[in-house]
């Protein structure tokens, strides 16, 4: 499934579809995330809140009937929320985790819903780890490999540890645009099919070290 088809599934956004080879995003997401820990100190999952840009929000809401203009309840947005999380599965929810260097897998999202506030849609969902882990180092990255979708995190409280052992230390690294631009691939590289993981240069990186 192409990124364009994903966006169609999310919100009938085909009118904005462009070739995947283009080296810049067409949808922007601002996120907040929580890393969830159990009482024994193991990490059990990641809770995301992704706020879509105004243009995406406008297209996504087309055709959804509401009693009061500009107001959408969770119930009204529930079908769209389901389409969102089901469509994101093929792309691993743009969330990639390693525990002590070993790749971890997530179960399907739970507790998902869409919220409409301040003229923007926010998708809330929780990704449980298939197997809770208790690593000395957890590495988590959020990005779109194709860079069709740009992920940035909120300035205030972008990442929280929920229930983590007190001794755990978190480091959050935002994408370095200057470095990414210096490495930017040419259009020919994209046309040759070398863009499969271009977005990794724009990854948001979270590292949690626990003794």
């Amino acid at each position: 499934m192409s990124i364009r088809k994903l966006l169609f599934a999310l919100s009938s956004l085909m009118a904005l579809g462009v070739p995947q080879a283009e080296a810049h995003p067409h949808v922007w997401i601002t996120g907040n995330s929580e890393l969830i820990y159990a009482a024994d100190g193991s990490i059990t999952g990641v809770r995301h809140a992704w706020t879509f840009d105004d243009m995406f929000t406008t297209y996504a809401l087309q055709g959804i009937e509401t009693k009061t203009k500009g107001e959408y309840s969770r119930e009204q947005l529930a079908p769209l929320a389901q389409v969102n999380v089901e469509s994101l599965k093929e792309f691993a929810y743009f969330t990639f985790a390693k525990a002590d260097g070993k790749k971890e897998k997530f179960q399907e999202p739970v507790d998902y819903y869409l919220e409409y506030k301040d003229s923007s849609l926010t998708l809330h969902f929780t990704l449980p780890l298939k197997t809770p882990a208790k690593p000395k180092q957890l590495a988590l990255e959020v990005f779109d490999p194709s860079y069709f979708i740009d992920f940035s995190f909120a300035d205030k409280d972008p990442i929280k540890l929920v229930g983590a052992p007190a001794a755990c230390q978190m480091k959050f690294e935002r994408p370095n645009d200057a470095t990414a631009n210096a490495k930017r691939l040419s259009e020919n590289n994209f046309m040759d099919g070398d863009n499969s993981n271009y977005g990794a240069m724009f990854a948001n990186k979270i590292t949690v070290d626990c003794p």
Side-chain angles (χ1 to χ4, degrees):
M1 179 186 290
S2 68
I3 294 295
R4 283 194 296 169
K5 192 170 182 181
L6 165 64
L7 294 179
F8 175 79
L10 292 179
S11 65
S12 300
L13 199 55
M14 285 299 287
L16 295 182
V18 297
Q20 193 171 331
E22 292 193 15
H24 54 84
H26 297 274
V27 176
W28 288 262
I29 289 177
T30 303
N32 294 84
S33 296
E34 297 178 340
L35 278 60
I36 306 166
Y37 287 78
D40 67 355
S42 60
I43 181 167
T44 61
V46 181
R47 183 182 297 125
H48 288 308
W50 290 350
T51 300
F52 297 98
D53 64 80
D54 293 346
M55 187 174 294
F56 184 95
T57 294
T58 299
Y59 275 86
L61 293 174
Q62 285 185 348
I64 298 179
E65 296 183 0
T66 180
K67 294 181 180 179
T68 304
K69 185 178 180 180
E71 295 183 8
Y72 299 87
S73 67
R74 285 193 192 181
E75 291 74 20
Q76 290 170 315
L77 296 172
L80 181 60
Q82 182 176 353
V83 170
N84 271 241
V85 296
E86 289 178 352
S87 300
L88 291 170
K89 180 178 180 179
E90 186 172 345
F91 300 91
Y93 309 101
F94 303 116
T95 305
F96 310 93
K98 287 185 178 181
D100 290 332
K102 179 184 176 183
K103 290 183 180 180
E104 296 292 330
K105 294 183 179 181
F106 292 99
Q107 299 181 43
E108 294 187 2
V110 297
D111 302 330
Y112 58 84
Y113 64 94
L114 275 169
E115 176 186 25
Y116 182 74
K117 184 179 180 181
D118 298 330
S119 301
S120 295
L121 276 175
T122 299
L123 176 65
H124 300 262
F125 65 103
T126 299
L127 288 173
L129 280 171
K130 284 194 172 181
T131 304
K134 200 174 182 179
K136 289 186 177 181
Q137 183 178 83
L138 176 78
L140 187 77
E141 295 188 353
V142 178
F143 67 97
D144 173 11
S146 74
Y147 199 47
F148 194 98
I149 301 172
D150 177 83
F151 285 91
S152 62
F153 274 74
D155 293 331
K156 183 178 180 181
D157 298 326
I159 311 293
K160 290 183 179 180
L161 302 184
V162 179
C168 292
Q169 298 292 320
M170 181 189 70
K171 178 182 178 182
F172 174 51
E173 181 182 346
R174 299 178 187 272
N176 186 327
D177 288 340
T179 300
N181 288 335
K183 296 179 180 178
R184 186 174 294 274
L185 304 181
S186 70
E187 187 72 19
N188 287 336
N189 291 135
F190 280 80
M191 295 305 291
D192 290 339
D194 295 332
N195 62 328
S196 59
N197 205 34
Y198 176 74
M201 292 189 291
F202 301 89
N204 297 272
K205 300 179 180 181
I206 304 148
T207 305
V208 182
D209 292 296
C210 298

